[in-house]
Amino acid sequence: MRDLNYKHLHYFWVVAKEGGVNRAANKLGVAAQTISGQLALLERSLGVALFAPAGRGLALTEAGRTALSYADRIFNLGEQMLEALEDRAGEAVLRLTVGILDALPKLAAHRLLQPLMGMGKPVRLVCYEGEIDELMSDLALHRLDVVLSDRPVASTGSLRVFSHPLGEYPVSFYGVPALARQYAKGFPASLAGAPLMLPTRTNALRGKLEQWFEANDLRPQVVGEFEDSALMDTFGRQGMGLFPALSMLGPDVEAQLGALPVGELEGVREQVFAISGERRIRHPGVEAILAAAAG
Amino acid sequence: MRDLNYKHLHYFWVVAKEGGVNRAANKLGVAAQTISGQLALLERSLGVALFAPAGRGLALTEAGRTALSYADRIFNLGEQMLEALEDRAGEAVLRLTVGILDALPKLAAHRLLQPLMGMGKPVRLVCYEGEIDELMSDLALHRLDVVLSDRPVASTGSLRVFSHPLGEYPVSFYGVPALARQYAKGFPASLAGAPLMLPTRTNALRGKLEQWFEANDLRPQVVGEFEDSALMDTFGRQGMGLFPALSMLGPDVEAQLGALPVGELEGVREQVFAISGERRIRHPGVEAILAAAAG
DNA sequence: CGAACAATTCGTAAAAATGGAATTAATAGC
DNA sequence: GCTATTAATTCCATTTTTACGAATTGTTCG
């Protein structure tokens, strides 16, 4: 039973729905012998009988009933697809569906997606956020075109994904003006005992920060851990403590959060990866993003 | 673009997943020209481009992405079907999935399904209850083999169903012994002012009861209306009032509910129909039921 | 029992899919 | 800027699959 022949399955489906080979032949516009023959081939390739003689007609076997419920769904999907494509035949807007890891800084995501707007075509951007597992499964189901992550993702047996580095960016600590002034002098040594907000351990950046503390012989006071970077930003704005963010986002951070840079963390770089589910065929939008990141 | 060629769609699916015509050809064990040609035919029949040249490869178009999400589901279903059939290849139990209208007396349903047990094969009976609309849609989706209803159902445009009469059965009023004794004398005239429980107006029997009251010039006191006959039985057992049920179920009613017949309603017959979604192909179990009802 | 119906088998004809050889197009390397 | 390489495609002969006419088998109904 190597490969399923969908033409044969389609005949089976119509016969089952119409209630007989002759009726199906009539509906499909082919001769009854044809259907009968193809049906026999299907049964042989499946290794099970789908129909059993009943009276002078046919009745579904148990296996046939199982097959019918699948065939129903399969061919309904096929019909839906035709409708969907008929609608879309005229349209020309490019839709890019992006999954963004909760932990990834929103401003960074925004920056990375910026190149899309500079493309020739009109683009409709659809963003989802979530944890890495959800996003990966959505990627596998083609509900997402690409996922932005803070680490590369390895292909597992069932899930084949491809990670493309989008870049690595220096990281700085930021804080409200009062805090920033207080700890800027003598940075990074000044951080000893400073109130810090850090991402949780599920975030790749967390490990790098720990290493940096180790290397600089610092033991800061952690006042909060955040899964979602947007939440951390909000608390940072209230002056809860110093928080890490990309150095290049200085102007944005100041404008949106009223926080100033305290100092850059030497050797610490936040990495960003674009994870795609395709080996090489690329979404024009994803291509634009990768090109902009590389250039 | 009348009919979708699933072989072509399958090639498209593999090309999209593998990331190129050559890779797909390699995986499928056919030449690249073949795939290229079949893909072109698919695009022509659909009237939209699925791929666009990108570099020296191909990239999905917006329509291609739409198609891919359908193809994913379609071919995953196909693979699931093969697995399901492989498992079921040995099995020999017959499964009958029946939908039973809430309003239909449970004891009657039990009686009607009884013949199944006398068949040669082992049978697994799966019963669902619900309102007519739910059951009809489940029937259309092949989640049910047959529906037992108290009235025939007409085929609508989108839903083709076939109603087979299973029989009509005389109806009696029943009640706990005290009530039964009180109202049996002089039946049916004695019912004037008797506490009665009736099915709601969604039940076909309700209309027939009203007519019978009219014909016998009775104006009984309705102490309760019930959608579900099992609920009515439960209240009847508590002595809330007299309730209608099939005459032939007298022994069952007495054994299970401790209620006695008060009198049969002349001219009132509860009808039962088997509704199937198939024109003629019949489930061996359904056939047995119909045969037993006819014989 | 024979007429009508339903499915099937057989052999051949038509249609579709396939692969070889050559062509076009876009990179990557030198 | 030229050449080797990779990828997709076009053209056409060949194979495979699908389809139909004619005849066959089995079942139901009058």
Side-chain angles (χ1 to χ4, degrees):
Chain A
M1 87 146 84
R2 213 31 284 121
D3 270 340
L4 181 57
N5 184 326
Y6 285 81
K7 186 163 213 166
H8 294 172
L9 188 67
H10 187 243
Y11 284 163
F12 160 76
W13 184 55
V14 177
V15 171
K17 285 212 314 174
E18 288 298 309
V21 171
N22 279 312
R23 245 183 286 266
N26 189 48
K27 174 147 196 170
L28 289 166
V30 298
Q33 316 92 290
T34 301
I35 300 208
S36 183
Q38 307 287 42
L39 221 45
L41 288 178
L42 176 64
E43 290 185 329
R44 184 130 60 84
S45 103
L46 292 175
V48 289
L50 267 14
F51 290 107
R56 59 181 165 186
L58 298 174
L60 282 169
T61 63
E62 180 63 9
R65 233 163 286 118
T66 303
L68 180 55
S69 80
Y70 284 99
D72 261 332
R73 288 189 273 168
I74 287 172
F75 295 110
N76 279 325
L77 276 172
E79 283 171 16
Q80 285 176 34
M81 189 185 102
L82 289 179
E83 283 174 33
L85 289 179
E86 222 153 73
D87 293 348
R88 221 171 294 284
E91 256 186 76
V93 281
L94 185 66
R95 190 170 51 202
L96 178 66
T97 313
V98 185
I100 300 174
L101 208 61
D102 276 334
L104 206 71
K106 304 297 170 278
L107 285 168
H110 177 249
R111 276 285 179 92
L112 289 164
L113 295 174
Q114 201 60 52
L116 284 174
M117 306 307 153
M119 294 175 64
K121 282 187 173 182
V123 177
R124 176 170 310 165
L125 184 64
V126 183
C127 291
Y128 292 97
E129 289 175 66
E131 313 233 339
I132 192 73
D133 295 343
E134 307 169 51
L135 295 180
M136 284 303 111
S137 70
D138 283 351
L139 192 63
L141 295 170
H142 289 284
R143 286 207 285 253
L144 294 175
D145 292 310
V146 69
V147 170
L148 298 184
S149 164
D150 63 353
R151 80 198 70 178
V153 175
S155 282
T156 65
S158 60
L159 219 86
R160 279 201 320 176
V161 296
F162 303 89
S163 304
H164 313 274
L166 278 180
E168 356 179 290
Y169 307 99
V171 174
S172 294
F173 271 115
Y174 293 81
V176 292
L179 286 172
R181 259 194 303 276
Q182 182 179 350
Y183 292 103
K185 218 173 293 174
F187 183 91
S190 60
L191 288 193
L196 291 188
M197 300 189 294
L198 298 181
T200 55
R201 287 181 200 285
T202 60
N203 188 310
L205 185 60
R206 175 64 179 262
K208 293 170 191 162
L209 290 172
E210 303 270 18
Q211 286 178 5
W212 184 81
F213 291 138
E214 194 77 33
N216 287 272
D217 205 22
L218 285 168
R219 205 151 307 142
Q221 182 199 349
V222 178
V223 296
E225 299 193 20
F226 297 86
E227 176 71 38
D228 185 336
S229 74
L231 199 59
M232 182 159 70
D233 292 348
T234 306
F235 277 85
R237 169 187 231 158
Q238 310 297 325
M240 185 188 189
L242 302 180
F243 59 93
L246 302 191
S247 300
M248 72 176 185
L249 297 178
D252 296 303
V253 170
E254 181 170 0
Q256 292 186 29
L257 305 175
L260 295 172
V262 178
E264 192 164 288
L265 288 69
E266 202 176 339
V268 175
R269 283 162 178 279
E270 168 119 57
Q271 294 178 297
V272 184
F273 292 83
I275 319 288
S276 70
E278 311 148 352
R279 191 196 290 267
R280 279 199 61 267
I281 296 173
R282 299 201 292 246
H283 190 293
V286 179
E287 235 168 8
I289 293 170
L290 292 176
Chain B
M1 76 147 88
R2 212 45 267 145
D3 270 342
L4 181 58
N5 183 325
Y6 285 80
K7 185 165 213 170
H8 294 171
L9 187 67
H10 186 243
Y11 283 162
F12 160 76
W13 184 55
V14 178
V15 171
K17 284 211 316 173
E18 288 298 308
V21 171
N22 278 309
R23 245 183 289 264
N26 190 48
K27 175 148 196 170
L28 289 167
V30 297
Q33 317 89 290
T34 301
I35 301 212
S36 183
Q38 306 289 347
L39 221 44
L41 288 178
L42 176 63
E43 290 185 330
R44 185 127 60 85
S45 103
L46 291 176
V48 289
L50 266 13
F51 290 107
R56 57 181 165 187
L58 298 174
L60 283 169
T61 62
E62 180 63 9
R65 232 162 286 117
T66 304
L68 179 55
S69 79
Y70 282 99
D72 261 332
R73 287 190 273 168
I74 287 172
F75 294 111
N76 279 325
L77 276 172
E79 283 170 17
Q80 283 175 241
M81 188 185 103
L82 288 179
E83 283 174 34
L85 288 179
E86 222 153 74
D87 293 347
R88 221 169 296 281
E91 254 184 78
V93 280
L94 185 66
R95 191 170 48 203
L96 178 65
T97 313
V98 185
I100 301 174
L101 208 60
D102 275 334
L104 205 70
K106 304 297 170 279
L107 285 168
H110 177 249
R111 276 284 180 91
L112 289 165
L113 295 174
Q114 201 61 53
L116 283 174
M117 305 308 153
M119 294 176 62
K121 282 188 172 181
V123 177
R124 177 169 308 166
L125 184 63
V126 182
C127 291
Y128 292 96
E129 289 175 66
E131 313 234 337
I132 193 73
D133 295 343
E134 310 169 49
L135 295 180
M136 285 301 113
S137 71
D138 283 350
L139 192 64
L141 295 170
H142 289 282
R143 285 207 285 252
L144 295 175
D145 292 311
V146 69
V147 169
L148 299 184
S149 164
D150 64 354
R151 81 197 71 179
V153 176
S155 282
T156 64
S158 60
L159 242 145
R160 279 201 319 177
V161 296
F162 304 88
S163 304
H164 314 273
L166 278 180
E168 352 180 294
Y169 308 100
V171 174
S172 295
F173 271 114
Y174 294 81
V176 291
L179 287 173
R181 261 194 301 278
Q182 180 178 351
Y183 294 104
K185 220 173 291 173
F187 182 91
S190 59
L191 288 192
L196 290 187
M197 301 189 295
L198 299 180
T200 54
R201 286 182 200 284
T202 60
N203 189 314
L205 184 59
R206 174 64 177 259
K208 293 171 190 160
L209 290 172
E210 303 271 17
Q211 286 177 6
W212 184 81
F213 291 138
E214 194 76 35
N216 288 273
D217 205 22
L218 285 169
R219 206 153 306 146
Q221 181 198 351
V222 178
V223 297
E225 300 194 18
F226 298 85
E227 175 70 38
D228 184 337
S229 74
L231 199 59
M232 180 159 68
D233 292 348
T234 305
F235 276 85
R237 167 186 231 157
Q238 309 299 323
M240 187 187 187
L242 303 180
F243 59 95
L246 302 191
S247 301
M248 70 176 186
L249 296 178
D252 298 304
V253 169
E254 180 168 2
Q256 292 185 29
L257 303 175
L260 295 172
V262 179
E264 193 166 287
L265 288 68
E266 201 175 339
V268 174
R269 286 165 176 274
E270 169 119 56
Q271 295 178 296
V272 184
F273 293 84
I275 318 287
S276 70
E278 310 148 352
R279 191 195 290 267
R280 280 199 61 266
I281 296 174
R282 298 200 293 246
H283 190 293
V286 179
E287 236 169 5
I289 294 171
L290 292 176

